[in-house]
Amino acid sequence: MAERIRRIAVCTGGGDAPGLNAVIRSAVIAALRHGWEVYGIRDGFNGIFFPERYPEGGVIRLTEQRVRGIAHLGGTILGTTNKGNPLHFPLHMPDGSVQEVDRSDEILQYFARQEIDALISIGGDGSLTIANALHKKGLRVVGVPKTIDNDLDKTYTTFGFDTAVAFATECIDRLHSTAESHQRVMVVEVMGRYAGWIALHAGIAGGAHAIMIPEIPYDIDKVAAKIASREGMGRHYSLVVVAEGALPKKGQRSLAAAAEVGHSERLGGIGEQVAQSLQSLTGKDARAVVLGHLLRGGSPTAFDRLAAMRFGTAAVRALASGKNGVMVALAIPNVNFVPLESVAGRMKAVPLDGDTMHTARELGISFGD
Ligand code: F6P
């Protein structure tokens, strides 16, 4: 039987996603009903590593009052970082070089010192891989799946994805009229890292004519041919959605910045490249629009808000029933719990034989293959 819980901590890690505050609020309220104290760690684990940076404290008490009225707000009241992986923490040396150090033991020591019995870690694959490592070292941990990219395995969806897709779809809708008025090709670059979920879902919903996703290396000539065939039918404009991680058959992924210690490579720039190529191949005017971090902002949709609240309360339910080393997952119509081990370090790509892909193909959308 698991030891009784008196205190838990919550942290948010990696890129922010709409719904983080709804998870925090629901977890706090559910935990308070058990009589537990709840603490929030600032900026991933930085609140533990650098308490001097936080006048209010690097780890703050989360009361009902503190989480009131936040469920609909984007961002995270705790702050987050995607540069502070405790397992590979960047240490700046006096000679200017940067080395990696493992600071995970400091987290366990902090929890022991403060008599905090468990951690709810809200994050994507990076944060959940860290959570799994902390669990293996003896920390009681439950993970909550967050990311706009929807690339986490073992859950039907992550919170944040629906909001990103809804916004991207609205943007594509808006681009239709200007594309048509000017008889142009509009190329919309969306986030998603190495998975094409956002591009695929928003592309279909927004009526795109071509979608390029990392799972299907594309041939730009095929996309140009699609645009030319539309011209032949008297449709003098086209909408193309490109995932930031899209991969040309001949060439490389487009990087905005190379990887550095403590931070993975940053994708970006493919939209402009595709627009320029399509302009020269089709002779049509082409423009690129990069949605970027706009997809991470704003109020969560009702779907994401509800998913976040279900995940937050389920995380507390898991701890209360003695579960440990698990992630809350959406297994429609219910939530369930899967081992963190089965999620850590894995990526959920778009299945090419799934019905969403069939839908796109049957609608005549080109993938450049
Ligand atoms: O994982 C979320 C995400 O927004 C990805 O879609 C994107 O590649 C990455 O984070 C961007 O990270 P940053 O905020 O460091 O630019």
Side-chain angles (χ1 to χ4, degrees), residues 145-156:
K146 163 241 67 170
T147 166
I148 63 164
D149 305 333
N150 194 36
D151 59 354
L152 273 179
D153 207 10
K154 303 280 184 278
T155 182
Y156 171 73

Side-chain angles (χ1 to χ4, degrees), residues 14-16 82-83 125 146-149 151 190-194 198 244 263-267 292-293 296:
D16 66 341
N82 54 12
K83 285 192 169 168
D125 66 338
K146 163 241 67 170
T147 166
I148 63 164
D149 305 333
D151 59 354
V190 296
M191 281 186 166
R193 289 207 311 173
Y194 306 107
I198 299 176
E244 62 177 359
H263 196 37
S264 41
E265 65 186 16
R266 200 145 54 80
L267 298 167
H293 292 83
R296 298 223 306 243

Side-chain angles (χ1 to χ4, degrees), residues 31 49 90 125 129 131 138 140 201 230 266 270 274 301 347 364:
F49 297 148
D125 66 338
T129 302
R140 200 155 153 188
H201 284 224
R230 283 177 52 74
R266 200 145 54 80
I270 189 76
V274 166
T301 57
M347 192 196 95

Side-chain angles (χ1 to χ4, degrees), residues 280-303:
S280 70
L281 287 168
T282 64
K284 292 188 69 63
D285 224 6
R287 295 285 188 275
V289 178
V290 181
L291 298 185
H293 292 83
L294 288 168
L295 297 173
R296 298 223 306 243
S299 192
T301 57
F303 180 91

